Amino acid sequence: MPQGSSAPSTASAPSAASASPAPPASPSPAPSPITEAAAEDLVHGICFKTGPPRVLGAELEWLVMDAERPGEPLPPDRLTAAHDAARALPLHSRFSIEPGGQLELSSAPADSLSACVDSLQADLTAVRSALHSRGLVLRGIGRDPRTPARRLVSSPRYDAMEAYLDRFGPAGRAMMRTSASVQVCVDAGYEEPGPLGHGRRWRLGHLLGAVFVAAFANSPATGGPYAGWRCARQGIWRDLDSRRALAPPLDAEPRPGWVRHALDTEVMCMRAYGDGPWTAPRGMTFRDWLRAASPSPARSRSAQPPGTLRPPTAEDLAYHLTTLFPPVRPRGHLELRMIDAQPGDDGWLVPVAVVHALFDDPEAAETGYRVAKALADRHGPVRAPRNPLWQSAARHGLADPELRAAAAFCFRAAAEALPRLGASSHVQDTVGAFIERFVLRGRCPADENAYQLTGTGARS
């Protein structure tokens, strides 16, 4: 969920987290202002930390449900008690709670696929056992179908986020309260060009994104604005606002392109010093704030008098970056954010293994790039997730014949790479079973209604 990230970077591997280390609730007083040039240099320096691809990480979001009545919302006190029980466990992963009560485990950066998978599996076993004793289970599905959708977590960040996103419609509340994903984090790659270079890997994440949306679609909707979609969660992200969840233009070099995108996106909120509300003038981008500490007349609808805003700081910039939610987010490493939460005890490890193989095995990376680029080139330059290819992936999954063919090539290449990457037989078998069950049949988990929620039980 949008807060920060858990992922790796060979240059500086951050600890696991739900979205980059969350800034403190109340900033320390009187930090030094930052200039526009310094802000550009900071973003330029931290977004892609290059070096040999070495580590990976994953962030797993889960819905917590009653084992016998999964279709019924849990009372807040029962859900909070479950969170407390899980939080008290001696976990290797970072444990966090999303606004709607979704439970998240974020792995520490791991130097192998086996280390990443083994650590998460051990933590999941412990959490599941703690919940089982309370009559609760973890369910992997990309969008919670239970109603009403309530916000369990209250904080200045989430209060401000909800108020901001409410201006654009109901998608913001749906994202915060109902969505769940598998986020996979890989190193940015080498500075130099080539299959493992950061420029190629940056483009690869966006090119493969539609294939991942389609193959792992697991948030079917039967009503509402996304009725009939296999991946309603992707529709929610598309509709958040006009820019925040949009990929930057890929015809620019990765660093300067991301710098422009980040600084020219509207500020969601300004953190208050003390107990004041976290608000920001409407329409004010971070660049506007840097230039005048007040909204640009051309962009802002605010009546705020010029010069009344405090100047932004490096801490404000770091916070602003955690409020940007593109499909691939550069945080030193690359965070792939387009994959729905997956069904079953081990469903989550398939996207982790497939992403690792297609990014970190040179042969598989080359195959994935060629296949995905040819597919994306046929659908025009509109940025993800609003281009026709991503829209078809979300609506139809692998029923789209082009996406089905591309997925078959990419997943086979990934499966062939896993032994070279030292994947365990369990991981190889689980990926192989997914390919046979879904990819080669042009199906995705949503097509099986992996968890049919009723008043009496869940079925897989």
Side-chain angles (χ1 to χ4, degrees):
M1 209 324 275
Q3 209 182 358
S5 121
S6 97
S9 165
T10 46
S12 62
S15 61
S18 142
S20 88
S26 296
S28 57
S32 300
I34 187 173
T35 66
E36 183 175 351
E40 290 181 340
D41 287 345
L42 273 174
V43 179
H44 190 279
I46 65 176
C47 57
F48 296 90
K49 295 189 181 299
T50 54
R54 183 177 59 85
V55 296
L56 74 153
E59 304 172 18
L60 311 179
E61 296 171 346
W62 301 89
L63 306 181
V64 181
M65 296 182 173
D66 186 284
E68 298 299 325
R69 296 174 296 278
E72 297 181 7
L74 291 177
D77 57 346
R78 190 178 179 201
L79 189 52
T80 299
H83 294 156
D84 291 343
R87 186 181 288 109
L89 297 170
L91 303 176
H92 301 285
S93 309
R94 172 172 171 172
F95 175 86
S96 57
I97 302 300
E98 299 299 340
Q102 307 96 313
L103 184 153
E104 179 172 335
L105 293 176
S106 299
S107 73
D111 59 7
S112 70
L113 175 62
S114 295
C116 180
V117 168
D118 291 349
S119 176
L120 282 167
Q121 281 183 323
D123 287 345
L124 282 168
T125 297
V127 171
R128 287 187 173 117
S129 177
L131 297 186
H132 178 74
S133 66
R134 291 163 173 80
L136 301 172
V137 292
L138 296 179
R139 294 300 191 205
I141 187 169
R143 183 191 186 201
D144 193 342
R146 296 171 296 180
T147 55
R150 296 168 294 196
R151 180 154 68 95
L152 183 71
V153 179
S154 180
S155 69
R157 174 187 176 88
Y158 290 139
D159 293 347
M161 181 183 294
E162 187 165 276
Y164 171 86
L165 294 175
D166 278 350
R167 305 201 315 248
F168 304 94
R173 293 192 178 210
M175 177 273 288
M176 295 175 68
R177 302 178 183 202
T178 72
S179 66
S181 69
V182 173
Q183 296 177 20
V184 186
C185 304
V186 295
D187 277 323
Y190 289 102
E191 186 67 29
E192 299 77 18
L196 301 183
H198 78 280
R200 171 68 74 89
R201 287 160 73 86
W202 175 241
R203 289 187 57 82
L204 179 64
H206 293 88
L207 294 174
L208 284 174
V211 175
F212 293 152
V213 169
F216 296 117
N218 189 36
S219 50
T222 58
Y226 314 112
W229 288 37
R230 267 73 162 187
C231 185
R233 176 180 160 273
Q234 193 62 45
I236 291 169
W237 282 104
R238 179 201 66 176
D239 294 339
L240 281 186
D241 76 2
S242 61
R243 185 178 177 89
R244 191 164 303 276
L246 196 63
L250 296 183
D251 54 358
E253 287 296 313
R255 287 190 181 94
W258 178 249
V259 170
R260 287 194 298 272
H261 182 81
L263 297 187
D264 292 334
T265 297
E266 186 174 350
V267 174
M268 178 178 284
C269 61
M270 298 166 56
R271 298 175 302 152
Y273 291 95
D275 298 327
W278 291 22
T279 60
R282 288 197 177 199
M284 182 183 73
T285 69
F286 202 90
R287 195 183 301 277
D288 291 335
W289 191 8
L290 287 161
R291 288 180 173 176
S294 64
S296 164
R299 291 179 178 170
S300 175
R301 300 180 295 278
S302 171
Q304 176 106 12
T308 61
L309 299 179
R310 66 171 176 83
T313 67
E315 291 80 4
D316 291 316
L317 175 59
Y319 186 85
H320 174 67
L321 295 177
T322 73
T323 71
L324 307 180
F325 314 133
V328 182
R329 185 162 63 174
R331 306 192 60 79
H333 53 272
L334 304 181
E335 180 184 79
L336 276 69
R337 304 173 53 85
M338 73 289 293
I339 299 170
D340 277 353
Q342 295 297 287
D345 289 348
D346 293 335
W348 60 272
L349 69 79
V350 178
V352 175
V354 169
V355 169
H356 173 50
L358 291 174
F359 273 80
D360 294 341
D361 179 86
E363 184 177 336
E366 188 63 28
T367 297
Y369 185 84
R370 288 199 316 268
V371 170
K373 186 177 187 303
L375 179 60
D377 285 348
R378 294 197 292 271
H379 288 269
V382 178
R383 287 184 273 167
R386 297 201 177 109
N387 67 44
L389 183 62
W390 282 63
Q391 293 296 293
S392 184
R395 290 176 181 272
H396 307 299
L398 293 186
D400 179 304
E402 289 185 312
L403 284 162
R404 175 182 180 177
F409 276 108
C410 291
F411 275 68
R412 283 186 179 126
E416 292 169 0
L418 288 175
R420 298 193 292 267
L421 294 168
S424 68
S425 58
H426 175 64
V427 169
Q428 293 182 53
D429 291 345
T430 303
V431 171
F434 184 94
I435 293 172
E436 291 290 336
R437 181 176 179 178
F438 295 114
V439 176
L440 299 183
R441 299 181 183 182
R443 296 171 62 80
C444 59
D447 291 318
E448 294 191 353
N449 291 321
Y451 292 107
Q452 296 183 5
L453 302 177
T454 67
T456 57
R459 186 178 67 191
S460 64

